[in-house]
Amino acid sequence: MTSGGTAVLDDPVGESLRGRHADLGRRLGRAATYLPGVATFSAVPADADAADWAGLARLLGRDAFADMFSCRAAPPPEWEPVFVLEGRQMIWPGGNHPDQSRAATATDVVELGAADVPQMLDLVARTQPGPFWPRTLEFGTYLGIRDGGRLVAMAGERLRPPGWTEISAVCTAPEARGRGHAARLVSTLAAHILARNERPFLHVAETNSGAIALYERLGFASRKHVTFRGFRTP
Ligand SMILES: CC(C)(COP(=O)(O)OP(=O)(O)OC[C@H]1O[C@@H](n2cnc3c(N)ncnc32)[C@H](O)[C@@H]1OP(=O)(O)O)[C@@H](O)C(=O)NCCC(=O)NCCS
């Protein structure tokens, strides 16, 4: 394992933008943000000072959306709050591999590419798994399941703090639920991540009890409560 520590999971956006995702973002001093179309997430350190917030404001521009993900630092008062969402971070606890039988029998799982983005955006609009943008696919592997040519389920890789890969955009069309699609996709991705000596983790809204139950059954454990926040720059 390249890095087994969980401390990097306290700043998954900043750790990704300073490392594996450096070429997918922009940085100014200790502030960083993803390129437009890839993600809206931005980061400053937990002990951010006025210069860090000013740096982020310069990166984003005036009156712009600052999606701070789970950043614990509070911006200056003139940054207007846009949203707050309570969630939890869940991690693969290590040791055993995920349910290999599910992953092994996932013959209907296909890798998605740029040509699939319109269908992926349509599925996201119908299922609301969380943020997904036209270039989010550049984060890593995205897997899908089709039914009659139509994309009915998907999941993919997003944040990449050292030693970890976040599983994200887990969604199944309402008419295709309860058939084990999400379980197969998450298990397949988790096996893929573990095979390169990283550990999977994910984030889920605290109110999403169905998804939390699914992840727990697949072997994920809750690591901590997180609060997602967004602001508007002054
Ligand atoms: C959560 C979601 C992805 C599950 O997709 P799915 O393909 O129906 O899931 P699966 O069929 O693999 O379900 C696996 C298990 O979880 C259970 N489960 C799935 N959704 C559930 C729900 N809403 N409530 C309770 N249990 C649920 C299933 O019963 C199944 O259990 P079983 O294998 O013992 O029968 C789907 O409901 C969805 O797209 N929701 C909206 C988007 C979302 O919230 N995504 C998660 C973001 S973190």
Side-chain angles (χ1 to χ4, degrees):
M1 194 160 293
T2 51
S3 165
T6 55
V8 293
L9 299 181
D10 290 336
D11 179 18
V13 174
E15 291 284 353
S16 301
L17 280 165
R18 286 189 293 274
R20 290 297 297 244
H21 288 166
D23 56 348
L24 291 175
R26 295 178 296 144
R27 288 164 65 190
L28 190 58
R30 301 200 301 167
T33 189
Y34 280 102
L35 295 173
V38 175
T40 55
F41 305 145
S42 296
V44 292
D47 64 350
D49 57 21
D52 297 319
W53 290 106
L56 183 57
R58 276 187 60 197
L59 279 177
L60 297 174
R62 295 171 74 91
D63 199 26
F65 180 43
D67 183 345
M68 300 310 298
F69 203 74
S70 57
C71 179
R72 287 168 297 171
E78 58 274 21
W79 290 52
E80 182 196 338
V82 174
F83 80 88
V84 177
L85 176 69
E86 303 302 333
R88 71 171 71 183
Q89 185 182 69
M90 301 181 79
I91 62 171
W92 184 256
N96 299 332
H97 275 223
D99 186 342
Q100 290 296 330
S101 61
R102 272 182 206 275
T105 56
T107 52
D108 51 350
V109 171
V110 295
E111 186 159 350
L112 301 173
D116 300 305
V117 168
Q119 280 200 63
M120 296 167 84
L121 289 167
D122 179 61
L123 184 59
V124 165
R126 295 172 67 212
T127 58
Q128 304 289 329
F132 185 86
W133 303 272
R135 293 183 57 192
T136 294
L137 189 86
E138 294 176 31
F139 278 134
T141 300
Y142 277 77
L143 301 176
I145 294 175
R146 296 186 202 284
D147 187 355
R150 187 164 189 214
L151 185 68
V152 294
M154 71 170 195
E157 299 176 338
R158 193 170 65 179
L159 300 177
R160 298 284 300 274
W164 298 82
T165 295
E166 184 195 28
I167 295 178
S168 167
V170 180
C171 56
T172 301
E175 67 277 11
R177 288 187 188 161
R179 298 184 201 161
H181 288 342
R184 277 203 304 289
L185 289 167
V186 172
S187 300
T188 306
L189 279 174
H192 182 76
I193 293 163
L194 288 161
R196 60 171 186 247
N197 284 330
E198 294 183 345
R199 281 163 70 186
F201 74 113
L202 54 86
H203 293 93
V204 57
E206 206 52 77
T207 52
N208 199 344
S209 54
I212 291 170
L214 164 65
Y215 300 141
E216 283 175 342
R217 247 177 15 84
L218 293 177
F220 285 84
S222 295
R223 173 172 178 256
K224 67 171 194 174
H225 178 86
V226 290
T227 303
F228 301 106
R229 293 179 209 276
F231 300 89
R232 191 153 292 285
T233 60

